[in-house]
Amino acid sequence: MTLLFPQQAETFFVNTLDVISSNMGWFMIFAANIFIVAGLYFAFSRYGSIVIGGKKAKPEFSRFAWYDMLLSAGMGIGLLFWSVAEPINHLGNPSPMFDSVAPNSPAAQSAMASTFFHWGIHPWAIYAVVGLGLAFFSYNKGLPLTIRSLFYPLIGNKIYGFWGNIIDILSVLATLMGLATSLGLGVSQVNAGLNNLFGISINTTVQVILIVVITGFATISVIMGLDGGVKRLSEINMVLAGVFLLFVLITGPTVYILSGFTQNIGYFAANFIEMSTWTETFRDSNWQSTWTIFYWSWWISWSPFVGMFIARVSKGRTVKEFIVGVVLIPTAISFVWMSVFGGTAIFQEMNGIADLASAVAIDESLALFAMVESLPYPQILSFVGIVLVIVFFVTSADSGSLVVDHLTSGGKLDSPIPQRIFWTAIAGVIAATLLVGGGLSALQTASVITGLPFTFILLAMIYSLYLGLRQEFLIERAVNQKLQRVTDDHIINEVIQTRVQDEALVEAVAEKLAEEERSKSGKSSVTVSEKEQEELNKDQ
């Protein structure tokens, strides 16, 4: 329908996003906070000591390697696309929550606080709770690694029937739309980079062609398999992203970035509660529709994908270690990344070094490349940025298709390659269709439309996870109490047996002493008799 009626589709996407955010935005804000509360409760309650995989399970990876994989899960197209565009957007158009801040003034602080808010604790709390549920029900309960398994305490074996299918279908739709949003943003940024380097025009036709080409690369990665394809690409990209980050930090306004990072953390912490609960109730605005509501829906759409990855590498961790690690480590690296790129961009904008606001007003995808123009070796940096986005596109499409294929095959890990190729292609087709039907607005709306109903699924999942953890805790406590009783009984039996043995030994020793006494007494009488006999013999 989008391809047949592109103009009507664009209007539909814009209006739908406005209606959902106006009427259900409060619910998305409320739901995101529920994930933080649930994560804190699971981590620091009596359930925090439960080990994923059972009491005797050991971690498959060292803590350093585990943190490294969590960082790779946190890196992606979104950080590259929004690390410059979002702070510059907020600099000129601050969140209405910060009414006292005038545009293009000390709004830098509120701009970075809003960026931290959208890329920090909330998204990773969502991923942590979903990942914990997947890991717990898979490793501790032996259920398939799918979203339907999270509802076993609520519907039992019905997860294998109609209701389980409905849950996984909604999971697939949410994942596909979240993936398509990322791919659409990524290909827009690749197009902007090619425009910056080679003057290739920025339009939908070029972007669709790029989707076809890059999806072809993703297909090759699928054919090569997990170890040969996505794993190797992810490792290369992480190193390249780290080098890119350090180069911008060193050649950019280093002191400004570092001091700003410290101050922005404090400002973010001071305003965290208000930002988390602000819903624009007492003002006539809808600022959150394209920012907070979009982000929360996007993160929820991504949660099966990221949650499943985290679950597969977290066996042997306690619930507390899992929640704290998944929330804090990626949040910290996101803050560092946003501080380096966003801080550099704000410094350039506020000191007249570059007109980034104009570039963002034209197209958000131009922001990163406009920023690196004022750094040393801009052409090389632009090329590196394009390579990073392309590789993130390929790894996201490959990994995303693996997750969708995993869900649609009932949790099987060895589904046929043609089936994965199909889902890789579908993700590319959806991204291309949304770009044709409205660009960024259509991409945002797609995530919101699928993220909203899936939010209800995940909130029910939190209660189901609570029931599962509670049952596990009670079973463990009952077993431990029984073992303690058995141990106590064994100790008591040992004490009694030792006491009996000691008494028996005392009696035996006493008997032996008595026997010896009798023996001595008997031998003495025998000796006297013999002497008398000898004397009698002599006398005779």
Side-chain angles (χ1 to χ4, degrees):
M1 295 298 290
T2 299
L3 294 174
L4 289 173
F5 307 103
Q7 292 182 345
Q8 293 88 336
E10 185 173 359
T11 303
F12 167 78
F13 287 132
V14 172
N15 293 338
T16 301
L17 182 61
D18 183 63
V19 169
I20 291 177
S21 58
S22 298
N23 294 284
M24 295 299 295
W26 66 270
F27 173 72
M28 299 302 294
I29 300 294
F30 176 78
N33 291 318
I34 291 296
F35 284 98
I36 293 180
V37 174
L40 289 172
Y41 175 72
F42 292 146
F44 296 101
S45 67
R46 58 185 183 176
Y47 308 125
S49 60
I50 294 175
V51 180
I52 297 171
K55 205 163 187 177
K56 295 183 179 180
K58 301 296 181 183
E60 297 176 349
F61 306 96
S62 67
R63 182 172 273 107
F64 180 80
W66 186 57
Y67 287 158
D68 184 56
M69 283 184 278
L70 294 181
L71 295 183
S72 68
M75 297 291 292
I77 293 171
L79 280 177
L80 284 165
F81 188 93
W82 292 110
S83 58
V84 175
E86 182 168 354
I88 294 298
N89 256 306
H90 297 329
L91 184 67
N93 181 29
S95 165
M97 194 193 90
F98 302 102
D99 281 330
S100 60
V101 180
N104 295 316
S105 69
Q109 199 167 228
S110 65
M112 290 306 299
S114 296
T115 305
F116 282 3
F117 176 59
H118 291 146
W119 290 87
I121 295 173
H122 282 82
W124 286 102
I126 295 170
Y127 295 156
V129 173
V130 175
L132 174 63
L134 287 165
F136 173 75
F137 284 106
S138 176
Y139 295 127
N140 292 66
K141 301 300 182 183
L143 296 171
L145 190 64
T146 61
I147 300 297
R148 70 172 71 198
S149 297
L150 304 180
F151 293 85
Y152 188 82
L154 293 178
I155 61 177
N157 288 328
K158 291 181 181 179
I159 65 169
Y160 300 111
F162 173 79
W163 292 110
N165 292 338
I166 293 295
I167 291 168
D168 275 352
I169 286 171
L170 288 174
S171 305
V172 168
L173 292 175
T175 303
L176 280 174
M177 293 304 168
L179 181 59
T181 300
S182 295
L183 300 185
L185 295 176
V187 79
S188 300
Q189 198 164 29
V190 171
N191 191 183
L194 294 175
N195 173 265
N196 185 63
L197 285 178
F198 307 111
I200 297 174
S201 60
I202 299 176
N203 57 59
T204 305
T205 303
V206 174
Q207 291 168 4
V208 171
I209 293 172
L210 288 172
I211 286 178
V212 172
V213 174
I214 301 175
T215 302
F217 291 148
T219 302
I220 295 172
S221 179
V222 167
I223 295 172
M224 291 177 66
L226 186 63
D227 290 331
V230 64
K231 182 181 178 181
R232 192 171 301 167
L233 286 173
S234 297
E235 292 171 350
I236 294 171
N237 228 34
M238 282 298 296
V239 173
L240 192 58
V243 172
F244 194 20
L245 176 76
L246 289 174
F247 185 85
V248 174
L249 175 63
I250 294 169
T251 60
T254 308
V255 175
Y256 180 85
I257 292 170
L258 296 177
S259 60
F261 173 76
T262 304
Q263 185 170 326
N264 294 333
I265 288 288
Y267 191 73
F268 164 75
N271 292 276
F272 178 75
I273 299 297
E274 186 176 0
M275 287 191 292
S276 299
T277 55
W278 184 68
T279 58
E280 297 183 276
T281 305
F282 306 110
R283 59 179 304 118
D284 185 20
S285 64
N286 197 17
W287 180 88
Q288 288 183 312
S289 65
T290 54
W291 291 111
T292 309
I293 306 304
F294 158 63
Y295 274 125
W296 287 183
S297 301
W298 193 18
W299 304 141
I300 286 171
S301 297
W302 266 89
S303 60
F305 173 32
V306 180
M308 196 169 292
F309 170 78
I310 295 172
R312 291 178 68 177
V313 300
S314 300
K315 187 177 181 180
R317 307 287 171 188
T318 64
V319 170
K320 181 179 180 179
E321 183 182 11
F322 182 96
I323 294 289
V324 172
V326 171
V327 173
L328 293 186
I329 300 302
T331 294
I333 199 65
S334 295
F335 285 0
V336 170
W337 184 276
M338 289 297 184
S339 295
V340 171
F341 287 87
T344 301
I346 289 175
F347 179 84
Q348 292 178 357
E349 177 68 23
M350 296 185 68
N351 289 277
I353 298 172
D355 187 9
L356 299 180
S358 297
V360 170
I362 297 170
D363 192 335
E364 283 94 343
S365 60
L366 293 169
L368 176 66
F369 303 104
M371 186 268 287
V372 300
E373 284 295 319
S374 300
L375 297 175
Y377 312 108
Q379 301 298 310
I380 295 176
L381 291 179
S382 294
F383 179 76
V384 170
I386 293 172
V387 171
L388 282 172
V389 175
I390 290 174
V391 177
F392 277 132
F393 186 118
V394 171
T395 54
S396 296
D398 188 339
S399 303
S401 68
L402 176 64
V403 170
V404 173
D405 194 35
H406 187 71
L407 291 170
T408 54
S409 62
K412 294 178 183 176
L413 296 174
D414 55 350
S415 52
I417 289 179
Q419 193 167 306
R420 286 185 59 191
I421 293 174
F422 168 78
W423 288 116
T424 305
I426 286 293
V429 168
I430 294 173
T433 302
L434 292 173
L435 286 173
V436 171
L440 179 60
S441 176
L443 294 170
Q444 291 176 324
T445 306
S447 289
V448 172
I449 288 175
T450 55
L452 177 60
F454 194 56
T455 303
F456 290 97
I457 297 291
L458 294 187
L459 290 178
M461 178 274 298
I462 292 175
Y463 179 65
S464 183
L465 176 57
Y466 161 74
L467 294 178
L469 290 173
R470 181 173 178 271
Q471 182 188 50
E472 183 83 359
F473 176 81
L474 292 176
I475 291 173
E476 280 192 6
R477 186 172 67 177
V479 170
N480 289 336
Q481 289 175 345
K482 181 65 176 176
L483 287 173
Q484 188 63 46
R485 284 198 298 269
V486 171
T487 302
D488 292 343
D489 290 345
H490 180 68
I491 292 172
I492 292 172
N493 289 334
E494 281 191 336
V495 170
I496 293 172
Q497 188 175 359
T498 303
R499 182 62 183 268
V500 169
Q501 289 175 348
D502 289 345
E503 291 179 354
L505 182 61
V506 169
E507 292 178 0
V509 170
E511 181 68 26
K512 188 172 182 182
L513 290 174
E515 181 67 29
E516 288 179 354
E517 192 66 33
R518 286 194 299 271
S519 298
K520 288 180 180 178
S521 175
K523 190 169 183 183
S524 175
S525 61
V526 169
T527 304
V528 172
S529 298
E530 287 178 349
K531 286 181 179 179
E532 289 177 349
Q533 186 65 40
E534 287 177 359
E535 289 178 358
L536 287 171
N537 292 336
K538 287 179 180 179
D539 292 342
Q540 290 177 355

